[in-house]
Amino acid sequence: MENKKELRTWLDDFGLSHPLVIAGPCSAETEEQVLTIAHELKNTDATVLRAGIWKPRTRPGNFEGVGSLGLKWLKKAKDETGMLTSTEVANPTHVDLALEHDVDILWLGARTTVSPFIVQEIAESLKGTDKIVLVKNPVNPDLPLWLGAIERLYKSDIEKIGAIHRGFSTYEKTRYRNNPNWQIPIELQTRFPDLPLICDPSHIAGRRDIVFDICQTALDLNFDGLMVETHHNPDKAWSDAQQQITPATLVKMMEDLRIRKSTDTEADYRNALNTLRTQIDVIDHQVIEMLGKRMKVADEIGLLKKEKNVAVLQTRRWNEILGKMILEGEQNNLSEEFVLRVFKAIHQESINHQEKVIKG
Ligand code: PEP
Ligand code: MN
C-alpha cells in the first residue's frame, strides 16, 4: 500500500478542531449502562461511542460480552444522542450483525490483527463497505503484521481505514499493561502520514492514573485521535475496571491536554520540533530503562562472583566488550571517542553496583 491522500478524507469529513475522540465502556453490560454513558458523553469532545459487544478474553470464565443483543442498545444510544457508534468485530458473523445494526465504525482487535486468515475473512465480508474500519496493532510488536491487516482491508476496497495503537504485550511486568513501543507507531506514521492514527491509552496503561500522560505523548507525536475507555462507574465495570475513567474525567482531561493545531508556518515549525523532541524523550526513557536493566544483570553477576570469591574487575572481558562496542558504534555513526566515554561510565557504574553486592 502506498501512502494515499484519500486515506485522510474520512477523518477530515468530521471537520473537528480537536482530535477525534472515541469514548465509552470496555464492554456493553446492560441497556441502562450503555445509555447512561452515552448521555454523559453526549456534549463532550467525544464524537463516537465505543462498546465491546463480543469480548476476546485471555482466559475463559470471564465476562465474554453480551453478544448481538448489545447492538440494539448501541443503535438506541445513537438515536438518542446523535453520537456515532463503534464496536469490535472478530469474524464475518460479527461483521454482518454490526452492519445490520448500522454500527458506524468497526474495529479489528489486537488478537484478530495477528491472524492473516481471519483478517482476510473479515476483509472479504466487509468488501466495498463505506463504513470506517480501524485496525488495532497486533499484540506482538510487529509492524509488518499490522500493515498486512491494513493492506488486506485496502485490497478489499475499503477506503475509510485507520490504525489504533494499543501497545504491545510483554512477558515481563512493566508499568504498562501493554508496552507503547512508540517507535512502531512513529514508523507507521512516517511511512503513511495520511493514514489516520488513533491512540488507545486505556489498553496501553491498564490503570487509570497514567491515561492522561499517554494521551499527551500521543498528541505530541501528532496522533489524530484517542479511543478512551469511559464508564459511569468504572470500579464496577464488568471488564477492564482499573483502566476506565468517568465521562467527567474525560472532559477534564481534554481541557488539560495540550492540543496542537497547525495553522501557520510558525505553528508548523513548532509542531515539527515538538514531535521530534517527543521522539527524543521516548528514546531517552528507553535508554535509562535499558541501563537500569543492565545494572540489574551486573548485580546478579556480582552475586555469582561473591559466591565463587572472584574479583569484580575482569580486564579481558572488559576489553572484549569495548572492542565490540566500538565496531557497533561505527556502524551506528558514533565516534570511537564517544563510545569509549559512554562505556567507561557504564562500566564504572557496573563495578560500583557489583561492589555494593559483594560488600552487602
Ligand atoms: C478493547 O478495545 O476492549 C479490546 C479488547 O482491545 P484490544 O483488542 O486492544 O485488546
Ligand atoms: Mn477493554
Side-chain angles (χ1 to χ4, degrees), residues 304-344:
L304 276 180
K305 286 180 180 166
K306 183 181 180 178
E307 271 172 35
K308 295 278 173 221
N309 207 15
V310 174
V312 165
L313 185 61
Q314 300 281 320
T315 322
R316 196 152 54 103
R317 160 92 179 130
W318 169 235
N319 283 332
E320 273 169 24
I321 295 182
L322 264 190
K324 259 198 302 199
M325 288 304 109
I326 288 170
L327 273 181
E328 282 195 27
E330 237 170 62
Q331 287 157 7
N332 283 283
N333 228 349
L334 303 171
S335 72
E336 175 169 341
E337 188 245 340
F338 172 71
V339 172
L340 275 175
R341 260 193 298 144
V342 169
F343 270 86
K344 273 188 187 149

XYZ file of all heavy atoms in Angstrom, residues 304-344:
344
model
N 27.070 -13.873 41.878
C 27.794 -15.074 41.458
C 29.267 -14.987 41.851
O 29.854 -15.931 42.392
C 27.720 -15.243 39.940
C 26.482 -15.918 39.375
C 26.582 -15.996 37.854
C 26.328 -17.328 39.949
N 29.863 -13.794 41.575
C 31.285 -13.614 41.892
C 31.505 -13.730 43.387
O 32.524 -14.267 43.845
C 31.769 -12.249 41.394
C 31.935 -12.184 39.883
C 32.411 -10.805 39.462
C 32.591 -10.702 37.960
N 32.731 -9.297 37.549
N 30.545 -13.220 44.153
C 30.674 -13.279 45.611
C 30.703 -14.745 46.063
O 31.553 -15.148 46.859
C 29.490 -12.550 46.249
C 29.548 -12.479 47.762
C 28.339 -11.758 48.303
C 28.419 -11.705 49.824
N 27.291 -10.987 50.380
N 29.766 -15.547 45.503
C 29.706 -16.961 45.869
C 31.021 -17.666 45.577
O 31.484 -18.507 46.337
C 28.602 -17.656 45.065
C 27.255 -17.608 45.750
C 26.157 -18.127 44.817
O 26.455 -19.071 44.017
O 25.063 -17.582 44.887
N 31.598 -17.319 44.409
C 32.812 -18.012 43.986
C 34.084 -17.288 44.417
O 35.183 -17.687 44.050
C 32.834 -18.163 42.443
C 31.736 -19.056 41.918
C 32.116 -20.523 42.026
C 30.963 -21.426 41.671
N 30.797 -22.598 42.493
N 33.883 -16.146 45.082
C 35.020 -15.374 45.549
C 35.948 -14.939 44.414
O 37.163 -15.105 44.482
C 35.793 -16.210 46.603
C 36.526 -15.303 47.563
O 36.236 -14.096 47.614
N 37.469 -15.844 48.308
N 35.338 -14.390 43.347
C 36.094 -13.963 42.164
C 36.196 -12.438 42.190
O 35.299 -11.767 42.682
C 35.354 -14.424 40.879
C 36.023 -13.891 39.631
C 35.282 -15.938 40.831
N 37.287 -11.881 41.617
C 37.466 -10.423 41.608
C 36.419 -9.755 40.730
O 35.994 -10.308 39.713
C 38.852 -10.081 41.087
N 36.006 -8.550 41.129
C 34.994 -7.812 40.375
C 35.513 -7.436 38.995
O 34.855 -7.646 37.982
C 34.572 -6.548 41.163
C 33.819 -5.579 40.263
C 33.701 -6.940 42.346
N 36.706 -6.885 38.933
C 37.231 -6.395 37.650
C 37.847 -7.532 36.844
O 38.774 -8.202 37.294
C 38.280 -5.301 37.915
C 38.814 -4.621 36.663
C 37.689 -3.919 35.900
C 39.912 -3.639 37.019
N 37.288 -7.770 35.663
C 37.805 -8.828 34.785
C 38.269 -8.134 33.507
O 37.488 -7.900 32.586
C 36.681 -9.829 34.471
C 36.109 -10.510 35.713
C 36.990 -11.646 36.208
O 37.533 -12.406 35.412
N 37.138 -11.756 37.511
N 39.554 -7.783 33.442
C 40.064 -6.909 32.384
C 39.868 -7.460 30.969
O 39.496 -6.734 30.056
C 41.564 -6.634 32.604
O 41.766 -6.506 33.982
C 41.999 -5.380 31.896
N 40.064 -8.790 30.816
C 39.972 -9.328 29.459
C 38.547 -9.177 28.911
O 38.318 -8.731 27.799
C 40.408 -10.795 29.447
C 40.710 -11.284 28.043
C 41.730 -12.396 28.050
N 41.283 -13.454 28.956
C 40.743 -14.613 28.544
N 40.618 -14.862 27.269
N 40.350 -15.518 29.411
N 37.592 -9.536 29.742
C 36.180 -9.448 29.359
C 35.825 -7.993 29.004
O 35.168 -7.705 28.016
C 35.339 -9.970 30.524
C 33.909 -9.540 30.529
C 33.000 -10.536 29.816
N 31.621 -10.072 29.867
C 30.840 -9.989 28.817
N 31.244 -10.367 27.646
N 29.616 -9.560 28.942
N 36.331 -7.081 29.825
C 36.036 -5.661 29.607
C 36.609 -5.182 28.272
O 35.925 -4.508 27.498
C 36.563 -4.857 30.803
C 36.568 -3.371 30.602
C 37.623 -2.539 30.739
C 35.459 -2.547 30.209
N 37.253 -1.250 30.446
C 35.917 -1.236 30.114
C 34.128 -2.809 29.903
C 35.114 -0.167 29.752
C 33.307 -1.743 29.528
C 33.801 -0.440 29.473
N 37.837 -5.592 27.931
C 38.418 -5.187 26.649
C 37.644 -5.751 25.466
O 37.484 -5.097 24.436
C 39.887 -5.608 26.570
C 40.740 -4.664 27.407
O 40.378 -3.495 27.582
N 41.844 -5.160 27.947
N 37.127 -6.976 25.642
C 36.310 -7.572 24.569
C 35.053 -6.740 24.321
O 34.702 -6.436 23.179
C 35.848 -8.980 24.973
C 36.836 -10.079 24.643
C 36.425 -11.390 25.318
O 35.215 -11.565 25.635
O 37.319 -12.208 25.538
N 34.403 -6.365 25.441
C 33.170 -5.562 25.312
C 33.478 -4.258 24.577
O 32.791 -3.891 23.628
C 32.566 -5.229 26.699
C 32.095 -6.508 27.394
C 31.412 -4.241 26.577
C 31.430 -6.272 28.755
N 34.532 -3.587 25.016
C 34.876 -2.295 24.405
C 35.120 -2.422 22.912
O 34.599 -1.645 22.114
C 36.147 -1.750 25.058
C 35.949 -0.754 26.182
C 37.287 -0.123 26.546
C 34.954 0.332 25.804
N 35.894 -3.452 22.528
C 36.212 -3.657 21.110
C 34.941 -3.835 20.296
O 34.757 -3.210 19.239
N 34.025 -4.677 20.815
C 32.771 -4.941 20.096
C 31.941 -3.661 19.965
O 31.367 -3.365 18.919
C 31.947 -5.987 20.879
C 32.054 -7.375 20.283
C 30.929 -8.284 20.751
C 30.890 -8.430 22.254
N 30.201 -9.510 22.836
N 31.875 -2.918 21.061
C 31.027 -1.723 21.065
C 31.571 -0.634 20.143
O 30.811 0.094 19.522
C 30.838 -1.185 22.488
C 29.947 -2.050 23.338
S 28.304 -2.325 22.596
C 28.401 -4.029 22.120
N 32.911 -0.545 20.043
C 33.482 0.469 19.136
C 33.086 0.140 17.695
O 32.660 1.010 16.938
C 35.013 0.539 19.306
C 35.323 1.206 20.655
C 35.665 1.311 18.165
C 36.769 1.147 21.084
N 33.155 -1.158 17.349
C 32.741 -1.568 15.999
C 31.266 -1.282 15.745
O 30.883 -0.707 14.727
C 32.981 -3.070 15.829
C 34.371 -3.471 15.367
C 34.457 -4.986 15.223
C 34.681 -2.810 14.017
N 30.410 -1.664 16.724
C 28.972 -1.412 16.563
C 28.686 0.070 16.517
O 27.794 0.530 15.804
C 28.169 -2.071 17.692
C 28.007 -3.552 17.465
C 26.940 -4.198 18.345
O 26.000 -3.495 18.755
O 27.080 -5.395 18.623
N 29.450 0.830 17.301
C 29.296 2.285 17.301
C 29.557 2.845 15.910
O 28.794 3.654 15.391
N 30.610 2.363 15.283
C 30.952 2.812 13.932
C 29.787 2.589 12.973
O 29.411 3.460 12.212
C 32.133 1.983 13.426
C 33.347 2.799 13.009
C 34.526 1.878 12.761
O 34.433 1.028 11.848
O 35.532 1.981 13.514
N 29.189 1.371 13.076
C 28.055 1.058 12.189
C 26.864 1.973 12.466
O 25.992 2.142 11.628
C 27.620 -0.402 12.370
C 28.601 -1.373 11.750
C 28.511 -2.756 12.377
O 27.631 -3.028 13.194
N 29.420 -3.637 12.006
N 26.800 2.531 13.678
C 25.676 3.406 14.021
C 26.073 4.874 13.999
O 25.378 5.710 14.585
C 25.113 3.022 15.390
C 24.268 1.774 15.304
O 23.139 1.813 14.852
N 24.840 0.645 15.720
N 27.176 5.153 13.328
C 27.584 6.545 13.161
C 27.985 7.235 14.472
O 27.727 8.412 14.660
C 26.421 7.315 12.534
C 26.899 8.141 11.384
O 28.120 8.286 11.213
N 25.979 8.690 10.623
N 28.592 6.481 15.383
C 29.033 7.066 16.655
C 30.557 7.017 16.698
O 31.146 5.985 16.375
C 28.466 6.263 17.840
C 26.947 6.122 17.881
C 26.520 5.124 18.956
C 26.288 7.478 18.146
N 31.160 8.122 17.137
C 32.622 8.170 17.121
C 33.198 7.250 18.203
O 32.559 7.003 19.230
C 33.101 9.600 17.355
O 32.879 9.952 18.700
N 34.431 6.783 17.953
C 35.105 5.888 18.897
C 35.253 6.572 20.257
O 35.028 5.965 21.305
C 36.485 5.529 18.331
C 37.303 4.698 19.283
C 38.561 4.122 18.633
O 38.617 4.056 17.397
O 39.471 3.738 19.392
N 35.573 7.855 20.208
C 35.803 8.598 21.442
C 34.532 8.638 22.301
O 34.564 8.423 23.508
C 36.260 10.008 21.040
C 36.731 10.879 22.160
C 35.832 12.072 22.361
O 35.081 12.417 21.414
O 35.843 12.630 23.470
N 33.379 8.829 21.635
C 32.100 8.876 22.347
C 31.779 7.512 22.964
O 31.431 7.403 24.139
C 31.003 9.316 21.363
C 29.616 9.218 21.923
C 29.177 10.099 22.906
C 28.732 8.237 21.483
C 27.891 10.009 23.431
C 27.450 8.130 22.002
C 27.028 9.026 22.974
N 31.950 6.453 22.142
C 31.627 5.107 22.630
C 32.507 4.776 23.846
O 32.032 4.234 24.842
C 31.808 4.058 21.503
C 31.657 2.639 22.038
C 30.801 4.299 20.390
N 33.777 5.161 23.746
C 34.687 4.887 24.868
C 34.220 5.590 26.142
O 34.163 4.998 27.218
C 36.106 5.367 24.520
C 36.953 4.377 23.732
C 38.269 5.001 23.333
C 37.200 3.105 24.569
N 33.848 6.862 25.986
C 33.442 7.621 27.168
C 32.179 7.034 27.800
O 32.092 6.845 28.997
C 33.204 9.094 26.796
C 34.410 9.944 27.192
C 34.100 11.418 27.129
N 33.769 11.791 25.753
C 32.847 12.698 25.416
N 32.178 13.326 26.354
N 32.608 12.982 24.155
N 31.192 6.731 26.927
C 29.924 6.191 27.433
C 30.178 4.863 28.136
O 29.707 4.627 29.255
C 28.911 6.003 26.274
C 27.704 5.196 26.726
C 28.475 7.358 25.744
N 30.957 3.976 27.483
C 31.130 2.644 28.069
C 32.007 2.640 29.314
O 31.821 1.810 30.197
C 31.548 1.626 27.009
C 30.324 1.001 26.420
C 29.665 1.616 25.365
C 29.758 -0.128 26.990
C 28.483 1.093 24.871
C 28.576 -0.658 26.506
C 27.933 -0.043 25.435
N 32.927 3.601 29.384
C 33.705 3.687 30.629
C 32.769 4.052 31.781
O 32.868 3.498 32.875
C 34.820 4.725 30.492
C 36.062 4.101 29.898
C 37.242 5.032 29.920
C 38.382 4.369 29.154
N 39.236 5.340 28.492
